[in-house]
Amino acid sequence: MFYDHNVAHTVLERYKNDLNLDIVVLPELVYCDECKTLVSTKTCPHGQHHHIKYHAQTLKTLLLAGILPPAILMRRDISAMILSELFPNRFENIQKLCDDLFPSNGLLEKQTEREFYENLMKLYQTTSLT
């Protein structure tokens, strides 16, 4: 995307006429810690200091370090899939970790690393104690 004479343009414009498309450039979306949701930077009444922006390189850095990115920036199932692929067999006894950390339905359930990360993120998202 670029601006020319205060008008937004995208690289897709060259295909607009050929494919009969309407191109709409949306404002940046951010997470606002006051609104507690994703918002447009143009419509949120709170200042930039309340906004958490999506930075792909930062998410990549967290994942490569083995850290779960916040769920407001990346879906937990996607984070779990990536981390379980990046760090296979990371934990010596994944089953013990799962048994010690997560509730179960009373049956012995074999847990995968992906399920471990998904359940761990659920614990991080518990808000009733904060």
Side-chain angles (χ1 to χ4, degrees), residues 57-104:
Q57 188 58 43
T58 301
L59 293 176
K60 184 178 174 183
T61 300
L62 288 173
L63 289 167
L64 290 174
I67 299 171
L68 280 167
I72 61 170
L73 299 175
M74 181 179 282
R75 288 181 16 204
R76 71 174 176 241
D77 55 325
I78 301 299
S79 299
M81 178 186 64
I82 293 170
L83 286 175
S84 63
E85 291 294 321
L86 283 175
F87 301 98
N89 305 314
R90 181 181 197 181
F91 303 104
E92 189 173 310
N93 190 345
I94 191 78
Q95 191 61 49
K96 179 167 178 11
L97 277 174
C98 291
D99 291 343
D100 289 348
L101 288 172
F102 312 125
S104 71

Side-chain angles (χ1 to χ4, degrees), residues 32-74:
C32 176
D33 69 349
E34 288 292 314
C35 296
K36 305 287 187 233
T37 191
L38 287 175
V39 296
S40 161
T41 55
K42 295 203 183 251
T43 59
C44 179
H46 307 105
Q48 289 186 52
H49 57 286
H50 289 287
H51 295 168
I52 299 171
K53 295 182 178 181
Y54 174 91
H55 297 285
Q57 188 58 43
T58 301
L59 293 176
K60 184 178 174 183
T61 300
L62 288 173
L63 289 167
L64 290 174
I67 299 171
L68 280 167
I72 61 170
L73 299 175
M74 181 179 282

Side-chain angles (χ1 to χ4, degrees), residues 98-118:
C98 291
D99 291 343
D100 289 348
L101 288 172
F102 312 125
S104 71
N105 63 9
L107 301 173
L108 294 177
E109 302 168 318
K110 185 171 177 3
Q111 301 287 318
T112 65
E113 289 190 10
R114 184 173 175 170
E115 291 168 324
F116 167 78
Y117 289 117
E118 288 178 6

